[in-house]
Amino acid sequence: MAANLDRAVLTVARHEGQWAVELDGEYFGHSPNKEETKASATKRARQMFDQGTPCQVRVSGENFFG
C-alpha cells in the first residue's frame, strides 16, 4: 500500500530583492527580514493544515532533518 505524499510546498526564497513565500507560483509575505517571511510561511501552512491540506515549508539555502 503506497502512501499519498501530495502536499502543498511553501518555499521561502529571495524574490524581487526581498524575502517572500512562493506557493503554486504566487508570492506573498514579502519582507526584507527572512525570519518574518518564515513566520508568514509557517502561519499560512498552519492554516492550510488545519483545513486538511498537508504542507511543507522549505527555506532556500537551509536543510532540516528530523
Side-chain angles (χ1 to χ4, degrees), residues 10-52:
L10 297 92
T11 304
V12 176
R14 298 291 290 176
H15 182 256
E16 297 181 353
Q18 297 187 65
W19 289 97
V21 183
E22 184 273 328
L23 175 63
D24 296 331
E26 300 288 326
Y27 290 87
F28 64 93
H30 287 80
S31 172
N33 184 296
K34 183 178 179 181
E35 295 304 316
E36 288 178 10
T37 304
K38 286 168 53 174
S40 181
T42 302
K43 180 178 179 181
R44 176 71 64 93
R46 171 55 68 187
Q47 291 169 342
M48 294 172 69
F49 184 79
D50 287 348
Q51 294 173 357

